[in-house]
Amino acid sequence: MPDPMVPPTPPVLLSALLAREDLALRRIAGPADPDVVIHWAHTSEMADPYPYLLGGELLLTAGVHIPEPAGSGTYFDDYVSRIAAAGGAALGFGLAPVHDSVPQALIAACNAHGLPLVEVPPQTTFSGVARAVWQLMAEARLSELRRVAAAQQSLAAAASRPDPVPSVLRRLAQRVGGWTVLYGPEDTEIASAGREPKGDGVRRALAELTRVVRPVPAGPRPQAAPPRPGGTALPPGGAPPPDDATPRPGERARPRPQAGPRPAEPSGSSHPQPHPGRTTSDDQPAAGRPASAITSPASATHTLAGTHLAAYALGAGHGFVLGIATPRREPGDHTIASVAAVLLSLLTGEHQSGTGAARSSALVRLLLGASPEAVAPLLGGERWLVVHARPVAQAPDAVAASALGAALGSPLVDLARDVVRVLLPAEREPDPQPGWTLGVSAAVAPQEWPTADAQAARALARAHATRAALVRHGVRPGLAALLPRDEAEAHARTLLAPIAAAPALTETLRTWLSLHGSWEGTAVALAVHRNTVRQRIARCATLLGTDLDDPDVRMELWFALRQREQ
């Protein structure tokens, strides 16, 4: 789960708020750090606002709570220390109607505790300050979304280059302004790009961080590493120590002061930020799972010597990890890195799993004249299903087609103009996929792939016409099983001979009969106008010299059409 103390909005610089001429705010005490950020604005006249603060606030007060003799005691020092302990980012003091000037004791306390103090002039309302904060947040969010969108397009273009893995790493390094590296299963650096970090400490820490996200094999729990110079020992697995402050017993956790803008991911993101030290030990498996089934976090972060480190496990399941080292983390960096991790997962899985070479060999053999049944073992199955799929909302693209193939469990994907075809072993029974309409063939042998392709196309047309998420081709035995095959085929050829030379008429009749004579459904399935369907069916009735309203005639024609498909 995301940290509940971090709002789903990007932070804003206090200096940006002070630069607003319409507010006329003025910093009068505390550090003049240009990187101080605020996450929200909150108004309170409580003498002790600590219990009501989450951290990162610009706390606004008019001093109503200040007693008369406060300047001669410890009131202001206690007040400011509690705000600082709660993680408050800054204090805004409003002039009028209670105080004509900011108390000198308050200025001294803010200087002592390092809390920025902002003077709010009488003409500026607290609600106006809060509104300005949210306006700056909205501008920051829009800028972040534009940056992420541009990075996604850039990374996708890099993945289509002849050298996709180095290209993606180079483009990612440019977008985040740091160093990117792809680690292999044995912690080896396969490829890297960008400006390398100075010194071996950062490189070593990043390599150690990859072990946190790499799947832990079943077996004895690894022993903790010996203490490093300086007295800090790595936790089991070699992960860097935690970079957040752990509260003492009974103390409420507070955000640490940060030297730079606090990162914020796009709203609605539910991607957790696992901590490097938070791994599940093998001797204490998670509830309901054996030790061998424990999974590692998808990503982990750490900070060392002012350098932000991040590691992302690639989803291909082969132990590859993406590592990133940047001088600072900007809003949207996590989303951009996640996109790169998905692309690299596809690329490394294709290259390293061995199935890519087998598919290339199968393709070469087919091109050189081998039969489908001869190359099918290279693809991993004896019985196969063909799936035709069409997105519900828009035309399919290469990324969506690859994602569908991954969801169905097969890399054998073909992207046509308006449909995606997937070939998968029969034991991988497809399920409905959100956002897709699917038609599934019967399980066939390799030599029957063309037949299965036609079955999947018709099943997709029926699914589209009936607004079903998935339709499977029926394989129940029909009347043909009661007759000798040659006699059934001869009867079908004779009955359908008048329309056999017009494939459009034959397909329209078959679809119309399969949808129980529905004009609207047939028009949707064939992507034609209803009047076209009516004209074609009328033409079929004329050529066949029969009454298509007669259920016996429909049954006989359906029998003949099904026999023709065998």
Side-chain angles (χ1 to χ4, degrees):
M1 294 292 292
D3 186 351
M5 290 189 176
V6 178
T9 52
V12 298
L13 292 170
L14 178 60
S15 58
L17 191 64
L18 296 174
R20 291 280 296 257
E21 296 182 358
D22 57 324
L23 299 178
L25 303 178
R26 186 169 64 96
R27 188 203 309 266
I28 59 175
D33 186 353
D35 292 331
V36 172
V37 297
I38 57 178
H39 289 271
W40 37 40
H42 177 64
T43 301
S44 174
E45 297 297 341
M46 300 290 294
D48 181 13
Y50 179 94
Y52 307 98
L53 300 181
L54 295 178
E57 297 93 347
L58 168 62
L59 180 63
L60 300 170
T61 178
V64 177
H65 56 88
I66 300 176
E68 289 293 336
S72 59
T74 62
Y75 179 86
F76 285 115
D77 189 75
D78 295 340
Y79 176 70
V80 174
S81 66
R82 294 289 283 174
I83 297 174
L91 175 64
F93 193 89
L95 302 181
V98 181
H99 298 271
D100 295 332
S101 62
V102 181
Q104 290 298 319
L106 178 60
I107 296 176
C110 287
N111 283 325
H113 291 279
L115 182 69
L117 177 60
V118 177
E119 180 186 82
V120 183
Q123 69 272 16
T124 301
T125 63
F126 287 174
S127 60
V129 175
R131 180 177 60 185
V133 170
W134 289 111
Q135 287 175 344
L136 290 173
M137 287 182 174
E139 293 173 1
R141 171 51 47 83
L142 180 59
S143 175
E144 174 186 337
L145 293 177
R146 288 175 174 170
R147 175 174 177 254
V148 169
Q152 289 176 333
Q153 295 177 357
S154 177
L155 290 169
S160 64
R161 293 177 59 86
D163 54 341
V165 171
S167 296
V168 170
L169 291 175
R170 285 195 299 270
R171 197 63 55 86
L172 177 61
Q174 295 171 359
R175 292 291 175 175
V176 300
W179 183 58
T180 58
V181 56
L182 176 64
Y183 292 95
E186 303 300 330
D187 291 342
T188 56
E189 294 183 10
I190 297 178
S192 63
R195 180 177 299 176
E196 296 188 19
K198 297 180 179 179
D200 295 333
V202 173
R203 296 178 68 115
R204 187 164 53 248
L206 184 58
E208 292 169 352
L209 188 62
T210 64
R211 303 171 193 170
V212 177
V213 299
R214 184 175 286 113
V216 179
R221 182 181 180 181
Q223 299 296 320
R228 296 179 295 176
T232 302
L234 288 175
D243 61 355
D244 60 342
T246 303
R248 297 183 179 89
E251 181 180 347
R252 185 170 57 168
R254 295 293 177 186
R256 293 184 59 186
Q258 303 199 10
R262 189 173 185 174
E265 305 307 329
S267 62
S269 171
S270 60
H271 186 88
Q273 288 293 316
H275 195 279
R278 297 173 191 163
T279 56
T280 308
S281 61
D282 288 338
D283 57 350
Q284 293 180 345
R289 291 185 296 167
S292 59
I294 294 175
T295 57
S296 300
S299 64
T301 60
H302 183 57
T303 302
L304 178 66
T307 301
H308 182 83
L309 309 178
Y312 295 82
L314 302 189
H318 304 291
F320 291 87
V321 178
L322 169 64
I324 303 174
T326 55
R328 61 191 303 170
R329 189 176 186 182
E330 300 292 344
D333 279 359
H334 171 68
T335 303
I336 295 172
S338 297
V339 172
V342 171
L343 293 173
L344 290 172
S345 296
L346 297 173
L347 296 171
T348 55
E350 174 78 14
H351 179 69
Q352 299 291 336
S353 65
T355 60
R359 289 196 298 275
S360 296
S361 179
L363 174 61
V364 170
R365 294 188 188 185
L366 282 173
L367 293 174
L368 294 179
S371 62
E373 55 270 25
V375 303
L378 293 172
L379 302 177
E382 296 181 356
R383 302 283 291 176
W384 297 82
L385 296 172
V386 176
V387 178
H388 280 217
R390 184 178 297 138
V392 174
Q394 59 189 13
D397 55 32
V399 175
S402 297
L404 175 65
L408 295 178
S410 173
L412 302 174
V413 179
D414 173 46
L415 174 61
R417 183 182 61 179
D418 59 348
V419 69
V420 176
R421 300 189 299 177
V422 184
L423 183 65
L424 67 158
E427 61 269 14
R428 300 178 187 173
E429 188 67 22
D431 294 321
Q433 300 296 319
W436 291 87
T437 301
L438 273 62
V440 183
S441 74
V444 299
Q447 61 269 24
E448 298 177 295
W449 282 343
T451 300
D453 186 51
Q455 292 174 353
R458 289 192 291 269
L460 176 62
R462 182 172 180 83
H464 188 54
T466 58
R467 294 178 173 84
L470 183 148
V471 168
R472 290 178 171 84
H473 176 77
V475 292
R476 296 188 303 274
L479 296 176
L482 305 177
L483 299 173
R485 184 177 182 86
D486 55 348
E487 294 183 12
E489 291 178 350
H491 174 73
R493 284 195 302 270
T494 301
L495 185 61
L496 298 175
I499 62 173
L505 294 181
T506 304
E507 182 63 18
T508 301
L509 179 61
R510 193 206 65 79
T511 305
W512 183 72
L513 290 174
S514 71
L515 295 174
H516 309 289
S518 170
W519 307 108
E520 182 68 29
T522 305
V524 172
L526 298 178
V528 297
H529 197 273
R530 284 174 295 178
N531 291 341
T532 302
V533 175
R534 293 180 184 275
Q535 293 170 3
R536 289 180 181 177
I537 296 300
R539 181 62 176 165
C540 288
T542 300
L543 293 175
L544 294 172
T546 188
D547 181 10
L548 293 181
D549 291 332
D550 188 333
D552 291 334
V553 172
R554 291 191 184 190
M555 181 183 66
E556 187 177 10
L557 287 172
W558 180 250
F559 166 80
L561 288 167
R562 290 297 302 271
Q563 184 62 38
R564 181 174 175 270
E565 296 169 1
Q566 299 298 325

